[in-house]
Amino acid sequence: MPSTRFESGAALGCGIRQHYFRFMRVLLKLTLDCTPDAAWRALRSPAVLREVVAPWLDFESLEPGGLPTTWPDGQHRLRVLAFRRFPAGQERVDLTSPGGLPDGVRMLRDGGGAETGVFSAFDAWDHRMAVSALPDGRTLYRDQLLARAGALDALAWYPTWAFWQWRGMRLRQLAPTWRFDPPGTADAEATQKAGSAGETEAAS
């Protein structure tokens, strides 16, 4: 699926070429009650994504090994479930971490989009999420979606805007529960627990 492009070094829409104003644009600017490190880890967490979109949507991995603890940059194929139960097509998450940003700003970009199903009506998708520190230690979160559904733009605008407001509400609700572990810590603990459980079952 084609996706929009930004001028080099532009942050969340600054310096967008004039013709990109034809795209639907949805913005969020939130204060999250967590540290920037915790917020950054959450943005890369499939588990957090599933919590944020619930109960309207859910995702299952189409990749070998299922959903990872943390998504690396690159492409990840998902099955979309409406209301957490009903198949609603397939989606490709395509993550990159743009550079050239102001000091202290980290950004995650998803330039993928739906490949089949109702959401494939969007023929362009550029979703950018940025975090930075506030003076009190909390996180400033900025979010921009540029999307295009062609002749269906007028119909798609309000549901997309409303869903983005839901995302914003869920992010604020969940942020106090996020924490940052040094890389590998959470995975190591989960692996150790799984191994211990397997040994217990084998012994019994």
Side-chain angles (χ1 to χ4, degrees):
M1 172 178 294
S3 60
T4 58
R5 293 181 297 118
F6 285 66
E7 293 287 357
S8 176
L12 285 174
C14 296
I16 297 176
R17 295 175 182 174
Q18 187 64 32
H19 64 271
Y20 290 140
F21 285 103
R22 296 179 301 175
F23 290 73
M24 290 190 295
R25 188 182 185 202
V26 184
L27 301 174
L28 291 175
K29 185 176 181 181
L30 311 171
T31 296
L32 300 181
D33 191 11
C34 64
T35 66
D37 284 339
W40 181 244
R41 186 179 191 279
L43 293 184
R44 288 187 170 273
S45 168
V48 170
L49 170 64
R50 297 179 67 198
E51 289 183 300
V52 167
V53 300
W56 314 111
L57 297 173
D58 199 0
F59 297 100
E60 294 178 347
S61 177
L62 294 173
E63 304 288 345
L67 293 170
T69 301
T70 302
W71 267 321
D73 281 3
Q75 297 189 11
H76 312 276
R77 296 179 60 248
L78 304 172
R79 178 181 293 110
V80 184
L81 301 175
F83 301 104
R84 315 209 80 172
R85 294 185 58 188
F86 307 105
Q90 296 182 9
E91 180 169 330
R92 174 175 52 84
V93 174
D94 189 359
L95 298 179
T96 57
S97 302
L101 303 172
D103 289 344
V105 178
R106 285 173 280 184
M107 181 185 292
L108 186 66
R109 177 191 180 224
D110 175 16
E115 297 179 331
T116 64
V118 63
F119 298 112
S120 63
F122 290 102
D123 65 4
W125 186 271
D126 192 315
H127 181 204
R128 301 193 178 205
M129 298 157 279
V131 298
S132 56
L134 291 170
D136 62 3
R138 293 185 296 171
T139 299
L140 174 62
Y141 173 81
R142 288 167 288 175
D143 185 306
Q144 174 183 269
L145 172 67
L146 290 180
R148 182 181 61 200
L152 298 178
D153 273 353
L155 292 176
W157 159 251
Y158 182 74
T160 304
W161 177 88
F163 185 69
W164 241 243
Q165 308 318 300
W166 173 266
R167 286 185 68 254
M169 181 186 72
R170 291 292 291 150
L171 288 168
R172 286 192 297 265
Q173 290 175 340
L174 293 168
T177 70
W178 298 339
R179 66 175 187 175
F180 172 72
D181 294 317
T185 301
D187 291 343
E189 290 177 353
T191 300
Q192 183 178 1
K193 289 179 181 178
S196 299
E199 292 173 1
T200 301
E201 291 180 2
S204 62

